[in-house]
Amino acid sequence: MIINKKRMKKDFDYITSISATETGCTRLSYSDEDRQVRDYIEAGLEEIGAEILIDSVGNIRAKYNPMGSKESSFLIGSHIDTVPYGGRYDGLTGVLASLEALRTIHENEISLRHPLELLIFAEEEGSNFGVTMIGSKYMAKKIGLEDLKELSNKDGVSAYDYIQSRGYNFKPEEDYYISAQNARGMIELHVEQGQILDEEAIDIGIIEAIAGMYTYQVIVEGSSNHAGTTPMIYRRDPLLGASEMIVRLNKLVEGYESAVITVGKIEVSPNASNVIASKVVFNIDIRDVVQEKMVRLAEEAKEVCNQIASDKKLDLDIKLLGSSEVAILDRELIDLIERVAKKTKLNYMRMNSGAVHDNAMLADIIPTAMIFLPSIGGISHSPYEDTDFDDIVTGSQLLLDSVIEYVG
Ligand SMILES: [Zn+2]
C-alpha cells in the first residue's frame, strides 16, 4: 500500500500558496490563513468520512472509524501554525503525512482494529501569546481556560477573549482531553529543525527522548554613572557582571554530555555609550534530555550568577519564566517503528529531539513516539527551511506502515 506522492505535493503547494508572505509562510493560529487551511483539510477529512470535533481552543480531532469500533483511538498528527515568516514544513509535514495515511487506508479499504484520529494542535508556535503549545497543553489538561485570561497578545487582548473573537465557542464541559482511556498512543512526524540527519546523510530519525527546558530571566542591577569620571575600582557595572555570567554559563555546560545552554536575549539600560549601565536583563535557556542533569545544570547556573553578583557587589534577581520536563518516548512504539523501518530497508537512526514538541505534552499520559525527517542545513523557523520532498514521501510511508502495523 503506497501513499500518493502527487496528491501530497498538491496539498503542500496549495496550503503554502494561501499562506505565502513576501518571504516564507506566515500562518498564525486563529488567523484568516489558518481558517482557510483548516477548511481545506477538514474538507479532505470529510471526504473519507472522518468525524470532526473542534475544542474550545481550536484543536481539531478527526476520528476515522470505518468499522465503528468501540476501542480507544490511535492518534497521528501535528500542528499547522507557523512562526511569522516561517518555513513550509514545520508542523504541516506531520499533518499532511497523517492526512495522506488516512486517505490511503480509506482507498484501500483496510480494516482497522482501533479507530484512528488525526490531531491538529492549535497555537503550537506561541506566535500569538508568547506561550508555546497551548493546544496540546489544553488537551493534556496542563493549562485551562482560566490560564488563557492571564495571557495576552501584542495588542493587549487576552488569549481568552481573542480566541473567542475568532469564532471559537468555549464549552469546556464538552471538550475532550487526552487520557489513557480514550487514546492508546500517538505518533507525530516532524522535520528535525536541526542538522544531525542532514549532516549524517540519514533519511529518518526515530526519537527516544524530547529535551526538557528551563527559561530563566536574570536581572542584574548596579550603579549607573558617568563613563569618564568614575574610576574603574569604584564601579558596580551590571553589564560587566552579566558578561562574565554569560561566558561562565557557556563554560559550565562543557561538563555535560547532552545539555545546551543559551543566552539569546539581553537588554541593557540605559544603553548609552558614555554611561555605565544601571541594569541588565537577560534570559537563560537550558535544555537536556536527562531530567536530573537538567535540574542540576539549572541549579549550577543559578549558583554561578549568584557568585559573580556577590563578587562584584551587584544586585541579582532570577525568575523562572517557563519549564517543561524531559519526555521519554515509548519503548514499544519506538521498537515498532524501527521494525518497520528495518523491514522496508530505510536508512534510519535513533536520536533525541532538542526542540520541544506537542508530543512531549502527552508523553506522561499515553505512549508516544516521533519520526523525524532531515532539515536541509538544519535550518528552521526561517523562510529557508527546506526538506527534500522524497524524504517527506519516505517518512509519510513509514508513518502509514507503522500505523497499519499497530492498528491493522
Ligand atoms: Zn513544529
Side-chain angles (χ1 to χ4, degrees):
M1 201 182 355
I2 303 293
I3 60 156
N4 185 334
K5 177 178 175 177
K6 245 173 135 177
R7 179 167 57 194
M8 273 194 90
K9 183 80 172 63
K10 189 175 140 249
D11 288 344
F12 264 105
D13 289 343
Y14 175 73
I15 290 174
T16 47
S17 76
I18 56 177
S19 37
T21 30
E22 316 87 85
T23 160
C25 280
T26 304
R27 193 169 53 246
L28 269 46
S29 277
Y30 317 117
S31 65
D32 293 342
E33 296 76 22
D34 177 64
R35 178 77 268 157
Q36 278 185 61
V37 172
R38 283 163 173 265
D39 289 347
Y40 178 79
I41 294 172
E42 284 173 23
L45 287 163
E46 273 160 9
E47 246 168 59
I48 58 166
E51 180 201 354
I52 297 172
L53 294 167
I54 295 166
D55 73 5
S56 295
V57 300
N59 290 311
I60 296 177
R61 193 168 179 178
K63 188 167 180 173
Y64 178 72
N65 188 15
M67 319 291 288
S69 163
K70 295 270 178 284
E71 300 276 327
S72 57
S73 302
F74 190 76
L75 316 175
I76 48 179
S78 190
H79 63 97
I80 50 168
D81 63 321
T82 68
V83 296
Y85 310 105
R88 279 165 68 96
Y89 300 108
D90 176 359
L92 184 62
T93 304
V95 171
L96 292 184
S98 302
L99 175 62
E100 186 53 38
L102 290 186
R103 282 172 161 163
T104 308
I105 287 170
H106 183 71
E107 275 168 1
N108 288 275
E109 296 175 18
I110 304 296
S111 44
L112 305 176
R113 278 186 291 132
H114 314 292
L116 276 176
E117 284 185 38
L118 194 164
L119 297 192
I120 302 178
F121 298 108
E123 188 62 359
E124 193 269 350
E125 299 288 3
S127 304
N128 284 291
F129 315 110
V131 170
T132 57
M133 294 169 289
I134 284 184
S136 49
K137 283 175 181 165
Y138 184 77
M139 268 191 167
K141 285 196 168 171
K142 291 184 165 75
I143 60 165
L145 293 184
E146 282 304 305
D147 299 306
L148 301 185
K149 292 179 182 167
E150 308 294 321
L151 303 175
S152 54
N153 67 9
K154 61 177 184 349
D155 301 319
V157 180
S158 77
Y160 188 86
D161 291 334
Y162 184 70
I163 295 171
Q164 290 190 87
S165 78
R166 297 301 297 168
Y168 293 91
N169 296 317
F170 282 6
K171 287 187 185 153
E173 65 287 352
E174 290 175 20
D175 283 342
Y176 39 83
Y177 304 94
I178 304 280
S179 72
Q181 284 71 47
N182 64 23
R184 46 202 322 122
M186 175 160 186
I187 303 177
E188 180 178 3
L189 177 144
H190 205 283
V191 292
E192 183 196 343
Q193 305 180 278
Q195 61 260 68
I196 297 170
L197 292 173
D198 189 37
E199 288 280 335
E200 304 286 327
I202 285 175
D203 303 334
I204 296 286
I206 302 174
I207 307 309
E208 298 186 300
I210 300 174
M213 172 173 143
Y214 284 119
T215 313
Y216 290 101
Q217 184 186 61
V218 182
I219 302 173
V220 193
E221 288 182 280
S223 312
S224 192
N225 212 334
H226 195 293
T229 60
T230 319
M232 299 307 278
I233 51 157
Y234 298 142
R235 294 185 182 199
R236 290 171 63 233
D237 182 349
L239 184 53
L240 189 61
S243 307
E244 203 171 316
M245 289 173 200
I246 295 165
V247 172
R248 285 272 301 279
L249 289 170
N250 278 272
K251 278 243 165 291
L252 194 59
V253 82
E254 286 171 7
Y256 287 80
E257 199 185 336
S258 49
V260 286
I261 197 161
T262 307
V263 176
K265 184 182 178 191
I266 184 163
E267 283 160 30
V268 180
S269 311
N271 205 23
S273 65
N274 57 356
V275 182
I276 300 162
S278 59
K279 181 170 152 182
V280 175
V281 181
F282 66 92
N283 284 8
I284 311 176
D285 177 304
I286 295 174
R287 303 184 195 216
D288 201 354
V289 289
V290 186
Q291 182 74 21
E292 311 82 70
K293 289 189 180 173
M294 184 176 75
V295 171
R296 198 195 330 144
L297 179 59
E299 287 312 313
E300 287 178 5
K302 285 186 275 183
E303 260 169 50
V304 159
C305 295
N306 270 310
Q307 194 198 344
I308 293 169
S310 92
D311 287 353
K312 296 194 173 310
K313 301 188 173 44
L314 298 163
D315 297 323
L316 183 75
D317 185 32
I318 303 178
K319 276 195 198 100
L320 180 66
L321 294 185
S323 68
S324 66
E325 298 216 332
V326 174
I328 303 297
L329 304 191
D330 184 65
R331 268 229 100 82
E332 281 178 35
L333 274 180
I334 293 169
D335 289 346
L336 179 146
I337 297 169
E338 185 170 43
R339 234 171 22 244
V340 175
K342 266 193 187 138
K343 206 160 43 179
T344 49
K345 300 200 167 47
L346 295 184
N347 175 18
Y348 73 91
M349 69 185 276
R350 288 186 178 219
M351 62 188 294
N352 294 317
S353 172
V356 185
H357 292 282
D358 288 312
N359 232 343
M361 299 302 111
L362 313 180
D364 60 340
I365 306 172
I366 55 168
T368 63
M370 289 195 82
I371 297 170
F372 270 12
L373 307 181
S375 295
I376 297 171
I379 298 166
S380 192
H381 285 185
S382 151
Y384 303 107
E385 177 188 280
D386 200 6
T387 292
D388 194 324
F389 204 75
D390 285 338
D391 288 339
I392 293 180
V393 172
T394 304
S396 304
Q397 186 68 45
L398 173 62
L399 175 70
L400 171 65
D401 294 343
S402 304
V403 165
I404 297 287
E405 177 91 3
Y406 191 96
V407 299

